């Protein structure tokens, strides 16, 4: 009986040891868990690759891929930026700003070489002729025929007028009448859109009335100008007025200077007759002179020289110089200038000489089929200079 119990005890202990060995084998299996594809990694995964929605730093900005670059007009001769050009887009560029280089946005500049020529045509009695066409005229530059362009109907092109008053002691006794006649002239000749400026010729040039389109205001301001006992800076004032018109006149207008003076220069510090000629030509300005001194100037060499200088300036530019017999004729002279301006042709041509050498070029104007007509125009112009 004891032997049976002992055998049973030993069998029971053996079964327990086998169970322990089995359990012990199972506790070592988790060491190979990473090889099981059904299990999650035991350690954190490495940093993932950036998502494709993020903007790569090495590629051009999106705007250059979806929008064509700004293309300048073909006449400018500038090519658009090529694809992949660093100038087309830079890393970090603000997408709100244009991607084209700044120089491509500059305005076009055209050098047309257009020469503007106001032309006055009258009959033998001084009456304006208004019915001519562009094909009736012939025009030459340095003896080379040019193709004429009509720039406006006779007398219809707007005017920029500069009125110059001599306020020196030599014209003191006639000044009141001159101002009144000038005021009437402005009312006749000025139209809406025309401009006028007024200069005083005294010891030095003085801009008495800056350019204005208000005729009544200009007349009122002219009436306020007073004569002085000063000397006369004639040529300095002519040059300053010509340059003022070049800087302030509206493009495409006829530029006209009307001066009331005896032409005697006693105080110019910078300029002489040749300077006045050049600046009037460069500003495309017609020069009209009215000398209120009367025929008595022929008794004085200085007075004669002064008037001859004004005649030369008028002839060079296509204007006129007047020497009325008496002060009462001043109104008639102003009316004649007004009638001429109201019938004046504005012609032009594109010079066949495209050399920008700054030299003076002579202009000739004719009406071949009407030898009875009298034609006045500017004698020439100064070419642009590079």
């Amino acid at each position: 009986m004891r032997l049976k119990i002992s055998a049973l005890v030993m069998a029971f202990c053996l079964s327990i040891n086998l169970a322990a060995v089995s359990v012990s084998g199972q506790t070592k299996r988790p060491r190979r868990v990473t090889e099981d594809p059904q299990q999650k990694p035991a350690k954190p995964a490495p940093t993932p690759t950036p998502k494709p929605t993020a903007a790569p730093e090495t590629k051009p900005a999106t705007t250059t891929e979806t929008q064509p670059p700004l293309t300048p007009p073909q006449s400018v001769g500038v090519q658009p930026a090529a694809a992949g050009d660093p100038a087309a887009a830079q890393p970090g560029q603000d997408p709100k700003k244009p991607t084209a280089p700044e120089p491509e946005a500059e305005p076009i500049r055209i050098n047309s070489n257009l020469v503007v020529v106001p032309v006055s045509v009258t009959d033998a009695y001084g009456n304006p002729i208004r019915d001519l066409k562009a094909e009736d005229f012939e025009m030459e530059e340095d003896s080379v025929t040019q193709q004429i362009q009509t720039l406006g109907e006779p007398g219809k092109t707007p005017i920029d007028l500069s009125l110059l008053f001599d306020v020196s002691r030599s014209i003191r006794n006639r000044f009141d009448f001159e101002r009144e006649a000038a005021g009437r002239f402005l009312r006749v000749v000025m139209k809406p859109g025309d401009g006028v400026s007024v200069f005083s010729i005294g010891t030095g040039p003085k801009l008495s009335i800056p350019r204005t389109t208000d005729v009544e205001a200009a007349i009122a301001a002219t009436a306020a100008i007073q004569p002085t006992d000063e000397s006369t800076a004639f040529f300095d004032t002519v040059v300053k007025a010509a340059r003022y018109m070049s800087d302030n006149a509206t493009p495409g207008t006829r530029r006209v200077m009307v001066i009331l003076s005896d032409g005697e220069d006693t105080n110019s510090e910078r300029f002489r007759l040749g300077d006045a000629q050049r600046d009037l030509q460069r500003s495309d300005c017609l020069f009209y002179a009215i000398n209120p001194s009367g025929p008595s100037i022929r008794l004085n060499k200085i007075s004669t020289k002064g008037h001859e200088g004004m005649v030369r300036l008028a002839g060079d530019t296509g204007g006129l110089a007047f020497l009325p017999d008496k002060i009462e004729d001043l109104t008639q002279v102003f009316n004649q200038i007004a009638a001429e301006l109201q019938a004046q042709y504005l012609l032009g041509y594109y010079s066949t000489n495209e050399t920008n050498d700054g030299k003076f070029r002579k202009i000739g104007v004719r009406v071949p089929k009407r030898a009875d007509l009298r034609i006045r125009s500017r004698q020439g112009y100064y070419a642009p200079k590079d």
Side-chain angles (χ1 to χ4, degrees):
M1 184 67 177
R2 290 181 179 177
L3 289 174
K4 289 182 180 180
I5 293 173
S6 177
L8 290 173
V9 170
M10 290 179 65
F12 177 76
C13 290
L14 180 60
S15 64
I16 291 175
N17 288 336
L18 290 174
V21 171
S22 177
V23 173
S24 177
Q26 291 181 0
T27 58
K28 295 181 181 180
R29 296 181 64 88
R31 295 179 183 176
R32 302 177 61 184
V33 70
T34 55
E35 297 178 3
D36 189 348
Q38 301 299 324
Q39 299 294 328
K40 294 183 179 181
K43 296 182 181 180
T47 303
T49 303
K51 295 181 180 181
T53 55
E57 295 184 354
T58 57
K59 293 185 179 181
T62 303
T63 53
T64 61
E65 297 177 359
T66 58
Q67 300 178 5
L70 297 177
T71 303
Q74 294 299 319
S75 60
V76 178
V78 179
Q79 298 298 327
D85 187 344
Q90 296 294 337
Q93 183 178 7
D94 186 350
K96 296 182 180 180
K97 295 183 179 180
T99 57
E102 288 296 330
E104 295 183 4
E106 291 182 359
I108 302 173
R109 294 178 175 84
I110 301 176
N111 180 12
S112 63
N113 290 327
L114 177 66
V115 182
V116 179
V117 186
V119 179
S120 299
V121 184
T122 61
D123 60 20
Y125 302 98
N127 299 313
I129 302 299
R130 301 171 181 262
D131 59 352
L132 298 177
K133 306 297 182 183
E135 53 267 26
D136 296 324
F137 293 89
E138 285 187 1
M139 191 174 298
E140 294 182 349
E141 177 184 301
D142 289 340
S143 301
V144 178
T145 302
Q146 306 293 324
Q147 184 175 356
I148 297 176
Q149 309 283 332
T150 302
L151 304 181
E153 297 181 14
K156 301 299 184 181
T157 310
I159 292 175
D160 260 290
L161 175 68
S162 187
L163 191 60
L164 277 62
F165 280 100
D166 190 334
V167 297
S168 65
R169 64 177 69 93
S170 61
I171 52 82
R172 188 179 185 89
N173 296 332
R174 303 178 293 271
F175 192 75
D176 289 343
F177 191 83
E178 290 177 6
R179 286 184 308 186
E180 294 173 4
R184 292 192 293 271
F185 168 72
L186 291 177
R187 285 195 175 95
V188 170
V189 76
M190 300 294 290
K191 300 295 185 293
D194 293 345
V196 59
S197 58
V198 179
F199 284 81
S200 299
I201 309 173
T203 302
K206 179 182 178 182
L207 177 61
S208 298
I209 305 172
R211 184 185 183 278
T212 179
T213 57
D214 189 336
V215 178
E216 293 302 323
I219 293 173
T222 300
I225 297 175
Q226 297 296 324
T228 68
D229 290 329
E230 298 176 346
S231 53
T232 311
F234 179 84
F235 294 123
D236 281 1
T237 308
V238 171
V239 170
K240 181 174 181 178
R243 293 180 178 180
Y244 182 84
M245 293 181 69
S246 293
D247 294 337
N248 296 276
T250 302
T253 59
R254 289 175 290 163
R255 299 172 183 180
V256 181
M257 185 181 297
V258 178
I259 187 167
L260 290 95
S261 175
D262 55 14
E264 297 178 22
D265 193 310
T266 60
N267 205 59
S268 284
E269 297 179 354
R270 299 183 58 191
F271 303 110
R272 295 294 180 265
L273 176 60
D275 303 306
Q277 289 175 296
R278 284 190 294 272
D279 275 271
L280 287 170
Q281 291 283 17
R282 285 170 177 156
S283 64
D284 298 337
C285 185
L286 289 163
F287 182 89
Y288 290 89
I290 305 173
N291 189 340
S293 301
S296 63
I297 66 163
R298 297 181 178 88
L299 303 176
N300 187 313
K301 290 184 178 180
I302 296 177
S303 298
T304 300
K305 182 179 179 181
H307 185 72
E308 289 175 349
M310 294 194 298
V311 171
R312 187 168 179 179
L313 294 176
D316 287 345
T317 62
L320 280 174
F322 297 88
L323 184 63
D325 290 335
K326 53 185 182 296
I327 191 64
E328 290 76 17
D329 294 336
L330 200 59
T331 299
Q332 181 181 350
V333 170
F334 272 121
N335 289 339
Q336 183 176 342
I337 296 174
E340 181 166 302
L341 294 176
Q342 291 168 349
Q344 200 168 57
Y345 298 87
L346 188 64
L347 306 178
Y349 65 92
Y350 292 93
S351 177
T352 56
N353 186 351
E354 298 182 355
T355 304
N356 294 336
D357 53 13
K359 294 182 179 180
F360 185 78
R361 299 174 184 173
K362 294 182 180 180
I363 296 175
V365 183
R366 296 185 302 275
V367 181
K369 297 181 181 180
R370 296 289 304 272
D372 59 309
L373 300 180
R374 298 178 179 179
I375 301 169
R376 292 197 327 279
S377 67
R378 61 193 300 190
Q379 298 298 302
Y381 75 102
Y382 285 90
K385 188 174 183 179
D386 291 333

